[in-house]
Amino acid sequence: MPSIIIDSGAAFFKQPALPEHEKEAAKRTAEGIAQAIQIMGTLAVGISPFDLTEGVEYLKQLATAKKLTPLSMNLYPNQGTDPIFRPYLVTQAGKLEIAVLGLTGNQPKNRNRHDFHVLPWQETLETVLKQVEEADMIILLSSANRRTNEEIAQKFDNIHIILQSGQHGNNLAPVNINNTLLCQTASRGKYLGLLQIDWNESKTWGEDTGDILQKEQDRLDRINWQIGRMQKRASTTELASNKQFQQLLQIKSESEQTVQMLKTNNDGRQKACIYRNSFIALETSLPEDKTIKAIVDESRREVNQIRRKAAQKRQRKQKGAISNTNRQTFPAALQQMVGWKACKECHPKQVNFYLQTNHSRAWQTLVAKNQQYNPECIACHVTLPTYDANKIQKENLLSDIPSELQGVGCETCHGPSRGHSERAETIAPTKPDQASCLRCHTEERDNNFDFSRKIKKVACPPS
Ligand code: HEC
Ligand code: HEC
Ligand code: HEC
Ligand code: HEC
């Protein structure tokens, strides 16, 4: 089956503007993504405002270096009359000529000054559509918001598909608006959107018959399988008098008619075009592509290096351990912590038990993946006085975590315990409940967390 791979945009950066110290790492990540997108055979990528985080020149260089084709009809230089990137491309898929167009959404309000601006779609789309009107199918890669895309679909009846991109998108089943399918796949590479299309000269989408047809075809397959099995077991003469078999033949013939009808749009008019949409969850259990995995690993390793160097450069005053006398150099919230080593003296049994659990190795796990400098990973693999993301960021708790707090330590479950370890009789540590586990064992990270079962694996033995 002929196919094309396209990316609707917002692929490269997660933020519209980057803090200075994150720039190098973010660019290295973008390069890895661009390379992977190219190797996957992606024909074109849309340009979202998020792809312009580092400016137009950077995106141009990235596209050239990685042989990508970014599309945007409405991204213009402040000086000059031609769009900065190609507005569209035309490609062949089987017998079909397909035009792919790019439309960039509005720039989010942003402190940076830019060397480009985004024209409203009203000023560009009509002209570009004229240039591609000969194509059999027209696809728009759009990072405009949903309302705008709906308006576009209403206004033009020759755009057949709009692939919408955005930073915080979910999977949306295609919606047919004025013969335009408005489609969106969830952001951040968690899913692959697969749209299977049976296209013909009517250029008209049938009303979601794809699903019904698929179900009917599945049913027909099952009937045929049953018939085949019966034929293997019994002779033709036996079957001729077998009621169940005769019934199956009847059902089969009806099902075949339904399939035919769905395919030809029963009233004999030209058959409508059929689509079938699915989202493929890109779970870690899926087999890895070796080439892509190598790119991902290499990118991660280099990004980790960049962050490691940045951390060293910051040359924080605090050296050494939180249990030492110089703990005042750590953020105030961390100073209530002592780390697991300080518990050894009085609770050797629990410490020994703890060291057998994977919580004690959670930091090593990140190191093994070259991710111990990634702010997106650290919080759940270390011991903190709070897991409130805002507080963590505000108090800068994650940069230079002292070594005794690396890993999911005692104080994750029992609360900050400096006070207790200095005056055990006065301050009792807390005990963990389900909610305290769910801060890290989120649906996304651990989709079958069962408290009563899992607590048994990590609850310390009595003294
Ligand atoms: C100087 C000794 C000492 C140190 C150090 C110490 N504890 Fe304790 N801890 C005690 C005593 C004493 C008790 C109360 C008696 C008992 O249950 O063993 C206790 C009780 C506990 C309890 C049970 C509380 C309860 O309500 O039953 C927990 C949990 C605990 N400690 C955790 C820790 C952690 C975590 C650390 C290290 C950060 C630590 N302790 C360090 C002496 C200490
Ligand atoms: C700070 C985040 C965090 C909290 C809070 C947390 N966990 Fe974990 N947990 C982890 C991480 C990370 C791992 C994986 C460690 C690894 O393999 O590197 C893990 C692993 C586990 C495992 C597998 C351990 C093993 O030895 O195989 C169990 C069971 C578990 N957690 C239960 C719990 C329970 C029960 C709670 C609440 C009482 C809890 N966790 C609280 C982060 C957390
Ligand atoms: C929201 C908290 C959270 C964040 C953020 C997080 N992890 Fe984890 N991680 C966990 C928990 C919980 C487990 C244990 C899951 C289980 O027991 O099934 C875990 C387990 C792991 C494991 C070991 C199990 C496995 O799947 O192989 C690895 C590796 C890992 N995490 C890497 C990472 C990396 C890399 C990042 C950043 C990109 C990250 N984690 C961010 C909570 C988190
Ligand atoms: C994943 C969570 C978790 C971690 C990490 C953890 N504990 Fe515990 N701990 C528990 C639970 C659960 C209990 C049992 C509480 C109860 O009695 O219901 C417990 C009980 C205890 C007790 C009381 C035992 C008794 O006599 O009843 C002590 C002391 C203790 N832990 C110390 C520690 C120390 C020290 C560490 C680190 C080396 C540690 N814990 C790490 C969850 C944890």
Side-chain angles (χ1 to χ4, degrees):
M1 201 189 292
S3 64
I4 60 170
I5 301 173
I6 40 188
D7 189 304
S8 55
F12 302 123
F13 297 104
K14 292 174 193 152
Q15 295 158 274
L18 288 166
E20 202 55 43
H21 68 268
E22 266 296 317
K23 281 192 177 178
E24 204 188 340
K27 283 188 193 171
R28 182 60 190 83
T29 304
E31 281 163 28
I33 294 171
Q35 194 175 353
I37 287 180
Q38 195 270 332
I39 286 179
M40 289 175 204
T42 310
L43 183 72
V45 292
I47 303 176
S48 124
F50 279 83
D51 297 315
L52 298 164
T53 297
E54 281 300 283
V56 156
E57 275 313 311
Y58 177 75
L59 186 60
K60 263 193 194 163
Q61 284 167 18
L62 185 66
T64 311
K66 304 296 176 192
K67 302 192 184 70
L68 290 178
T69 309
L71 300 176
S72 174
M73 65 179 73
N74 58 335
L75 203 55
Y76 275 75
N78 287 343
Q79 261 107 41
T81 50
D82 293 328
I84 298 170
F85 295 97
R86 272 173 81 163
Y88 66 88
L89 65 74
V90 177
T91 188
Q92 198 78 25
K95 290 186 198 132
L96 288 186
E97 198 173 84
I98 301 180
V100 184
L101 286 52
L103 181 76
T104 300
N106 283 333
Q107 192 70 7
K109 290 197 183 59
N110 181 336
R111 281 146 281 130
N112 296 354
R113 281 157 52 97
H114 288 304
D115 47 353
F116 61 89
H117 59 278
V118 177
L119 285 185
W121 61 270
Q122 289 90 341
E123 293 177 30
T124 51
L125 190 50
E126 191 155 7
T127 326
V128 176
L129 280 173
K130 281 246 163 61
Q131 294 165 18
V132 297
E133 64 190 358
E134 299 286 296
D136 299 308
M137 176 185 267
I138 296 179
I139 303 176
L140 180 67
L141 307 177
S142 169
S143 46
N145 63 31
R146 185 170 185 91
R147 183 132 36 92
T148 306
N149 288 330
E150 286 171 359
E151 228 180 299
I152 291 173
Q154 285 295 352
K155 169 146 184 194
F156 300 101
D157 47 22
N158 58 342
I159 301 177
H160 304 109
I161 298 174
I162 296 181
L163 287 190
Q164 179 171 278
S165 75
Q167 268 299 299
H168 307 290
N170 297 319
N171 287 330
L172 297 177
V175 185
N176 185 347
I177 301 170
N178 185 29
N179 205 37
T180 300
L181 284 190
L182 185 52
C183 309
Q184 176 175 300
T185 303
S187 59
R188 311 278 313 265
K190 295 203 173 74
Y191 289 86
L192 181 73
L194 178 63
L195 195 57
Q196 287 167 285
I197 296 168
D198 191 351
W199 196 240
N200 61 45
E201 284 174 351
S202 77
K203 294 189 178 185
T204 307
W205 292 115
E207 278 306 329
D208 284 13
T209 46
D211 255 9
I212 309 169
L213 178 62
Q214 179 64 31
K215 282 203 185 103
E216 193 58 43
Q217 247 158 3
D218 289 348
R219 178 160 166 257
L220 186 54
D221 287 346
R222 281 196 303 274
I223 297 165
N224 277 330
W225 181 79
Q226 265 177 299
I227 288 176
R229 221 171 53 146
M230 288 179 85
Q231 280 167 335
K232 262 192 215 147
R233 288 194 191 154
S235 71
T236 329
T237 35
E238 275 168 339
L239 287 175
S241 59
N242 183 320
K243 250 192 179 159
Q244 198 198 347
F245 186 74
Q246 294 308 320
Q247 221 171 0
L248 270 177
L249 290 182
Q250 177 64 28
I251 298 172
K252 172 181 167 165
S253 137
E254 281 163 14
S255 175
E256 277 171 346
Q257 279 172 34
T258 312
V259 167
Q260 203 50 39
M261 185 188 76
L262 285 170
K263 279 186 173 165
T264 51
N265 223 11
N266 55 4
D267 57 3
R269 273 184 296 133
Q270 193 171 33
K271 65 177 187 173
C273 305
I274 292 171
Y275 67 89
R276 197 179 312 141
N277 181 73
S278 45
F279 298 109
I280 301 167
L282 301 177
E283 290 173 357
T284 45
S285 55
L286 288 179
E288 306 260 16
D289 177 283
K290 272 201 189 119
T291 321
I292 303 288
K293 185 173 185 320
I295 296 170
V296 173
D297 288 347
E298 174 75 7
S299 304
R300 286 211 175 123
R301 205 173 52 241
E302 285 184 19
V303 167
N304 207 44
Q305 280 294 343
I306 291 167
R307 291 200 170 115
R308 182 201 307 266
K309 281 201 191 112
Q312 281 162 356
K313 220 165 119 192
R314 267 179 270 134
Q315 287 198 333
R316 303 283 304 262
K317 297 164 277 168
Q318 66 208 35
K319 284 273 174 289
I322 191 100
S323 47
N324 288 350
T325 43
N326 66 347
R327 66 169 183 262
Q328 294 81 354
T329 58
F330 289 95
L334 288 187
Q335 291 178 38
Q336 321 154 29
M337 318 283 284
V338 273
W340 65 272
K341 285 180 188 154
C343 323
K344 234 187 326 197
E345 185 191 336
C346 306
H347 303 297
K349 200 169 165 194
Q350 287 79 18
V351 171
N352 284 338
F353 168 79
Y354 164 75
L355 289 175
Q356 305 296 312
T357 69
N358 280 338
H359 278 150
S360 70
R361 288 185 276 275
W363 181 262
Q364 265 329 108
T365 299
L366 286 187
V367 175
K369 299 270 173 191
N370 279 308
Q371 296 280 286
Q372 76 273 35
Y373 292 100
N374 187 346
E376 282 184 33
C377 308
I378 300 175
C380 297
H381 286 251
V382 297
T383 314
L384 294 175
T386 172
Y387 290 90
D388 175 339
N390 285 331
K391 216 169 166 208
I392 290 175
Q393 210 196 3
K394 218 169 118 209
E395 305 190 11
N396 196 19
L397 300 184
L398 293 185
S399 59
D400 296 332
I401 280 275
S403 62
E404 317 99 298
L405 298 183
Q406 294 170 350
V408 179
C410 321
E411 291 160 291
T412 302
C413 293
H414 295 299
S417 300
R418 177 177 295 281
H420 166 75
S421 47
E422 284 165 4
R423 276 163 294 131
E425 60 297 346
T426 52
I427 307 162
T430 57
K431 289 185 177 164
D433 56 6
Q434 174 163 301
S436 69
C437 317
L438 294 178
R439 294 175 302 200
C440 301
H441 288 263
T442 55
E443 185 64 31
E444 190 185 336
R445 295 288 167 182
D446 185 359
N447 59 10
N448 54 359
F449 184 80
D450 173 355
F451 181 72
S452 53
R453 198 166 53 79
K454 290 218 170 171
I455 191 72
K456 290 193 191 116
K457 291 199 179 166
V458 293
C460 309
S463 307

